[in-house]
Amino acid sequence: MVTNEPTAPRGLAFVVNQIRPQGPLFVVRDIIAGLPEGYYKPYIIQLCSLESQGEAMADELQAMGCEIIELGFTRGQLELFPKSAARLLDECLRHYDITLVHSHTYQPDIVTSYLSHRYILLSTQHNIAKLDFTYGKGRLLGSYMCRRLMRALSRHREVVCVSHVCRDYYRKQLPTKVSVYVAPNGIDNALFTPPESAAERAQLRRQLDLPEQGYIITYCGGLIKRKDPELILRALRRLKRRHQLPNGLHLLFLGKGPLESRCRQLAKPLGEQVQFVGFTSRVSDYLRASDALITASHAEGLPLNVIEGIASGCVVIHSDLPIFGEILERVPQMTDLRFGVGCASQCADCILKAPSVTFDRQEALEMGRLYGRQRMALQYHRIYQQLLRKYLR
């Protein structure tokens, strides 16, 4: 943790479904790692039981000074009986004398909304609920989940959003009594940095068994409907039919998901120009070895893969979402690489334009500093201190 002038440590509970290596838990970990030392005693309260896939992360959190508490509910129980879960959570918070409670994701937000006003409740919203739930769960279930979440957040007093686009959405959905803040999620800006030189990039390509020559475009994320990886492959197939697909262009897919089989089928006519890497712990190396990152997403709260790509020196071929405009306003030359959501022909045109778009290393480094995880943690620290002054005067 960052050393700073200490105050009396105050209990701070992060309420999550389960500890597992996924986006919201990485955010929690990075907040805890970056908080000024001596201000807080962090607890992770997981509503469900710890599973094997989360054990390594739990060990990491404990090594950082977190106390981990399991309440042992199933996800079905949380959905059907959130008030019962809230009663047990209340007993736990009272036992450990915790008043500052920070929830992440759908079920923790609903459960904590039933706690009494003796607690200072804070929820972080990582996405645009209506779009994310609809793409992930279908229109009927997604709409139900969205309405339920909004009712729960209306019982909260404080909500943090990961972007200004996200904030604007929740301000329209929630009553004015709910305060809405912005604290962008952060990246490891020591890990995601542009290569020092073309020679360093070539060396990375050799280490990753990638072509040393040619133009490499990387897709980084789940192979899911909301992110529309199929559109990218349809765009490449369109270029191949037109005899416009450069021989030296290569597309890498980092990640897995339910659309992987369909994507592999679409990629067959493209041969070795498309490679499916799957899950990898070397995302930063792949990005630093690449020329461009591509995303065809239909909805995002704050796409860290885009920020990581720019910070690593990649230009970004992207769908026309407001959040990408917010992130890319500091590199306006990338406007030329924007295509209509769901439009394969425009995506194909942007792929052809990408090699002509450049930006300098200082712009990449500035993006890393702007969205660094240390900066994120200190933003949350300021919010926590503001709430403590507001409610515990």
Side-chain angles (χ1 to χ4, degrees):
M1 288 190 178
V2 176
T3 303
N4 206 329
E5 196 66 31
T7 60
R10 178 174 293 276
L12 168 59
F14 295 91
V15 182
V16 300
N17 269 102
Q18 286 176 309
I19 295 173
R20 56 174 59 188
Q22 61 182 20
L25 267 297
F26 291 137
V27 171
V28 169
R29 177 201 62 192
D30 292 343
I31 292 172
I32 293 168
L35 290 173
E37 188 173 344
Y39 278 87
Y40 311 97
K41 166 58 181 173
Y43 297 82
I44 306 286
I45 302 179
Q46 51 176 354
L47 301 176
C48 302
S49 298
L50 182 66
E51 296 179 352
S52 58
Q53 62 184 320
E55 288 178 355
M57 192 169 197
D59 291 342
E60 181 184 5
L61 289 164
Q62 285 184 316
M64 292 164 55
C66 292
E67 186 161 343
I68 296 174
I69 302 163
E70 297 179 37
L71 299 191
F73 290 94
T74 65
R75 289 179 181 263
Q77 289 171 330
L78 293 175
E79 192 66 28
L80 294 172
F81 310 111
K83 290 184 180 179
S84 298
R87 283 194 290 270
L88 185 56
L89 176 59
D90 177 68
E91 292 176 12
C92 177
L93 294 169
R94 288 176 183 270
H95 176 76
Y96 289 96
D97 192 27
I98 300 169
T99 56
L100 188 54
V101 182
H102 188 175
S103 59
H104 290 258
T105 70
Y106 172 72
Q107 287 184 322
D109 288 341
I110 291 172
V111 170
T112 55
S113 75
Y114 289 107
L115 293 172
S116 72
H117 283 298
R118 74 181 297 270
Y119 299 106
I120 301 172
L121 302 180
L122 183 68
S123 165
T124 291
Q125 296 305 305
H126 297 268
N127 55 40
I128 306 295
K130 184 175 182 179
L131 295 175
D132 199 71
F133 290 160
T134 300
Y135 276 105
K137 304 295 182 180
R139 178 181 291 184
L140 187 62
L141 180 56
S143 296
Y144 162 78
M145 291 174 66
C146 185
R147 289 194 301 271
R148 199 167 188 219
L149 176 65
M150 293 308 166
R151 286 197 296 269
L153 294 179
S154 296
R155 295 191 291 269
H156 284 247
R157 292 183 288 187
E158 322 289 337
V159 171
V160 175
C161 295
V162 296
S163 66
H164 290 88
V165 169
C166 195
R167 177 201 62 189
D168 293 345
Y169 167 78
Y170 283 96
R171 274 188 172 165
K172 291 178 181 178
Q173 303 298 319
L174 297 174
T176 55
K177 66 179 181 180
V178 180
S179 299
V180 183
Y181 306 85
V182 177
N185 292 342
I187 67 169
D188 185 341
N189 54 356
L191 192 61
F192 294 95
T193 60
E196 292 280 357
S197 62
E200 183 182 352
R201 176 169 284 173
Q203 183 180 15
L204 280 167
R205 290 186 176 189
R206 287 193 295 272
Q207 291 173 356
L208 296 167
D209 197 25
L210 298 174
E212 286 189 41
Q213 303 300 319
Y215 196 82
I216 295 179
I217 302 174
T218 293
Y219 170 99
C220 182
L223 302 180
I224 59 176
K225 182 179 178 183
R226 176 171 60 85
K227 293 185 179 290
D228 204 359
E230 295 176 72
L231 179 131
I232 299 167
L233 291 165
R234 289 200 302 271
L236 288 185
R237 287 169 60 124
R238 182 180 293 260
L239 291 175
K240 187 176 180 66
R241 287 195 301 271
R242 294 177 184 167
H243 305 287
Q244 292 179 307
L245 183 63
N247 290 330
L249 187 145
H250 301 273
L251 174 63
L252 309 179
F253 282 96
L254 309 185
K256 285 184 169 292
L259 296 182
E260 181 174 352
S261 177
R262 173 63 180 158
C263 287
R264 286 183 179 274
Q265 282 294 117
L266 285 170
K268 279 185 177 180
L270 300 167
E272 295 182 356
Q273 287 187 261
V274 177
Q275 180 180 343
F276 291 86
V277 177
F279 288 123
T280 175
S281 61
R282 302 188 66 182
V283 171
S284 61
D285 288 338
Y286 277 100
L287 290 178
R288 297 176 73 236
S290 299
D291 298 287
L293 179 132
I294 189 165
T295 174
S297 187
H298 290 236
E300 294 285 354
L302 182 73
L304 285 184
N305 62 327
V306 170
I307 297 167
E308 290 168 348
I310 300 169
S312 300
C314 295
V315 300
V316 178
I317 306 163
H318 58 286
S319 51
D320 189 10
L321 294 182
I323 184 57
F324 295 143
E326 179 178 327
I327 295 170
L328 298 173
E329 64 182 0
R330 291 170 180 81
V331 278
Q333 56 269 48
M334 293 190 201
T335 302
D336 290 341
L337 303 182
R338 181 174 61 200
F339 58 89
V341 174
C343 186
S345 61
Q346 291 181 15
C347 180
D349 292 340
C350 288
I351 289 170
L352 291 179
K353 289 179 191 173
S356 66
V357 176
T358 60
F359 67 115
D360 64 40
R361 193 168 190 276
Q362 285 305 312
E363 288 176 296
L365 292 170
E366 179 58 28
M367 182 64 71
R369 285 191 290 269
L370 185 65
Y371 285 97
R373 60 187 185 182
Q374 181 63 43
R375 181 169 177 168
M376 173 195 69
L378 292 178
Q379 282 183 287
Y380 274 104
H381 170 59
R382 288 192 289 269
I383 292 171
Y384 296 152
Q385 292 299 304
Q386 180 179 335
L387 297 183
L388 290 169
R389 289 192 297 268
K390 180 178 177 180
Y391 293 111
L392 297 182
R393 285 180 294 185

